[in-house]
Amino acid sequence: MVEHGQALDWPRYSHGAYAAQQAKAQAAKVGLWVGKFEAPWDWRASHADGATPASQPLGLVSRKLVAQSGYSCEPRRKCGQIGSCDEAQWYLQNCSWGGKLDRDGDGVACETLC
């Protein structure tokens, strides 16, 4: 799972057992590494008082959208082939090639749609 970007190596418990697989996933920008995120242990440490974030960070796609989307990372798409901002964001967050839809690196894919 770590090698495919679906899990993180938490060195506190693994002592780096999966560091090589994580580096491979990060370099390939797959799974979690497609977008930007904060490691769960870092988030918990910064929110130790139990407070939750005021709003959902830009760029996150709801689980409901992913479950109902019917989108697929194959074949690759260009902004001209995408019909909505939600769809563009889904590709950005879920496909290894999705980063190409965010030319200025601000976390918003296909800005003409968003």
Side-chain angles (χ1 to χ4, degrees), residues 14-111:
S14 71
H15 305 289
Y18 304 101
Q21 291 89 342
Q22 182 164 298
K24 182 178 177 183
Q26 191 172 5
K29 295 186 183 277
V30 296
L32 295 166
W33 302 105
V34 169
K36 297 177 184 177
F37 68 94
E38 184 175 5
W41 49 88
D42 292 336
W43 187 91
R44 285 192 293 275
S46 67
H47 293 82
D49 61 358
T52 57
S55 65
Q56 185 176 3
L58 179 65
L60 290 184
V61 178
S62 73
R63 289 178 189 248
K64 183 177 180 183
L65 175 63
V66 171
Q68 296 176 348
S69 70
Y71 304 139
S72 170
C73 291
E74 295 295 331
R76 291 180 178 218
R77 307 220 187 272
K78 297 179 181 176
C79 290
Q81 299 169 308
I82 297 173
S84 70
C85 181
D86 286 337
E87 183 182 0
Q89 288 302 111
W90 189 91
Y91 292 126
L92 177 64
Q93 296 297 321
N94 294 286
C95 301
S96 60
W97 49 265
K100 293 182 178 182
L101 300 175
D102 180 15
R103 292 185 181 200
D104 61 4
D106 66 352
V108 179
C110 300
E111 293 186 357

